[in-house]
């Protein structure tokens, strides 16, 4: 009984509730919840925050939440990761697996420049559709997928993708939709930098990167000003994050597939740093040659992909996957295509982005070391008060970011557990000691009584 009581107290302290992640216990309905603005600055590597100065971003999270390091999903490319942020699913589950895909059944092809066929997107329900299915509206500016008729619906308000539309115009449209139509509950904004500069100059070009990152920070300042001007700041929940990081590449780190294999025996669906290979006939001969091709490239048969990558269970994953080591580039023509790249193993810190948040739902001045990018989806569903679709995220990993969640630091919980155990041990020892003393003091008295009785008997007789 005592143990059960103790455990329930501890669970209450930790704030654990078993039903928490099933998605049904929404404490706040969509109708009552403030809108949510989700912003992605493409290719914002987590440690840029330590290397460069971001006065506006600093101001943004000083009064909110900062997560230093976000483990994203494999492949660490733009489209797979933006769809994971919006669905809480690994790439193998949402079906947007890479920048270039091929579907063996329909023979359809996908690329980031040819992405409008809903076929590629329909395996998942992104959060903007869940908001619409709950009877509310969404607004989007260039976020991948939002201008496509996924399950027959685009975002309610959206801008067709056009890289020439500047940040102010994207933001201006979103704040206009948010202020003019009160039924907009989610707004979602995408910006191409610092990814573009990272690819062009490489993340180690500090002169170019500091210029690009200053512009990103200026845009964050613009975002806060605009929200203030339109009366939305402090009323709206804002999340600023990214899809992946960036690593320096070099022409000294090239893996040319043509040096290992005749190009007539296979087709390349996607090339670098994760290549998707379709052998034309003899799978095992192609695999064996690729396996020995280069010490800085791993070759996997689809069925043998490591479980941790969650990159196996989808028809669109090709029979052989090649994964280059950090900073290495797979090529077919011997030339380095980009000075910076991403897409590598998602366990690499250089591939990770950060996350910051501000608004009435979030704690103020709260800092968390890490989370998974798929955890963002259940967090957003909780904030918006909508039902979660099945997903790979864990709300408990991010619950402490929210102001309305009971949350005690792990160190405090461990301290309380140790304190309670010491107290219980002390009480047990004291109890035993008193019992022993009690017994030892009662025995002579009993014996005395007996002896007196014994003594009395002869007198009576
Ligand atoms: Zn990207």
């Amino acid at each position: 009984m005592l143990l059960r009581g103790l455990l329930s107290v501890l669970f209450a302290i930790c704030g654990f509730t078993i039903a928490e992640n099933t998605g049904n216990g929404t404490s706040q309905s969509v109708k009552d919840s403030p809108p949510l603005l989700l912003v992605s600055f493409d290719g914002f590597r987590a440690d840029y925050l330590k290397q460069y100065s971001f006065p506006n971003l600093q101001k943004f999270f000083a009064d909110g939440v900062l997560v230093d390091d976000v483990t994203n999903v494999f492949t660490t490319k733009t489209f797979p990761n933006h769809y994971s942020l919006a669905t809480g699913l690994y790439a193998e589950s949402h079906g947007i697996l890479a920048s270039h895909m091929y579907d063996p059944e329909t023979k359809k092809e996908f690329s980031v420049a040819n992405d409008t066929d809903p076929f590629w997107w329909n395996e998942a329900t992104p959060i903007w559709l869940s908001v619409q299915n709950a009877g509310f509206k969404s607004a989007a500016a260039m976020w991948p997928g939002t201008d496509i008729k996924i399950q027959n619906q685009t975002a309610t308000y959206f801008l067709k993708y056009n890289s020439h539309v500047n940040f102010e115009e994207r933001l201006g449209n979103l704040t206009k939709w948010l202020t003019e139509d009160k039924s907009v509950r989610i707004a979602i904004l995408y910006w191409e930098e610092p990814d573009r500069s990272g690819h062009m100059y490489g993340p180690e070009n500090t002169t170019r990167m500091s210029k690009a990152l200053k512009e990103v920070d200026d845009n964050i300042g613009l975002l806060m000003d605009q929200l203030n001007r339109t009366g939305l700041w402090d009323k709206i929940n804002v999340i600023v994050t990214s899809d992946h990081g960036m690593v320096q590449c070099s022409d000294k780190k090239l893996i040319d597939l043509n040096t290992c294999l005749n190009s007539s025996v296979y087709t390349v669906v996607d090339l670098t740093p994760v290549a998707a290979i379709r052998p034309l006939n003899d799978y095992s001969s192609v695999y064996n040659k690729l396996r020995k091709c280069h010490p800085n490239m791993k070759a996997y048969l689809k069925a043998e992909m490591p479980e941790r990558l969650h990159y196996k269970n989808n028809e669109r994953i090709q029979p052989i996957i090649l994964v280059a080591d950090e900073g290495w580039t797979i090529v077919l023509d011997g030339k380095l295509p980009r000075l910076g790249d991403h897409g590598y193993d998602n366990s690499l810190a250089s591939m990770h982005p950060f996350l910051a948040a501000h608004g009435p739902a979030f704690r103020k001045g709260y800092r968390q070391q890490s989370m998974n990018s798929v955890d963002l989806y259940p967090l957003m569903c909780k904030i918006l008060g909508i039902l979660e679709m099945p997903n790979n995220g864990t709300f408990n990993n991010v619950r402490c970011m929210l102001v309305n969640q009971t949350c005690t630091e792990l160190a405090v919980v461990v301290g309380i557990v140790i304190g309670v155990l010491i107290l219980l041990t002390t009480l047990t020892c004291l109890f035993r000691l008193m019992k022993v003393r009690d017994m030892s003091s009662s025995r002579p008295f009993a014996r005395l009584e007996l002896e007196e009785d014994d003594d009395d008997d002869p007198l009576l007789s």
Side-chain angles (χ1 to χ4, degrees), residues 42 78 195 243-244 342:
D42 196 324
T78 300
D195 181 77
D243 50 351
H244 53 74
H342 56 90

Side-chain angles (χ1 to χ4, degrees), residues 57 79 100 177 183 259 334 348 423 435:
L57 180 57
F79 273 50
H100 296 86
W177 290 323
S183 53
T259 62
L348 294 166
L423 186 70
K435 209 170 168 189

Side-chain angles (χ1 to χ4, degrees), residues 305-324:
M305 286 295 283
E307 289 299 330
R308 66 181 180 80
L309 296 176
H310 303 284
Y311 204 78
K312 181 188 293 190
N313 300 307
N314 196 296
E315 281 302 307
R316 300 166 188 174
I317 297 170
Q318 303 306 322
I320 299 171
I321 300 294
L322 310 174
V323 184

Side-chain angles (χ1 to χ4, degrees), residues 334-355:
K335 288 187 201 138
L336 181 71
R338 294 176 284 275
L339 279 169
D341 212 353
H342 56 90
Y344 300 90
D345 192 322
N346 65 330
S347 64
L348 294 166
S350 62
M351 290 298 105
H352 293 176
F354 78 105
L355 183 140

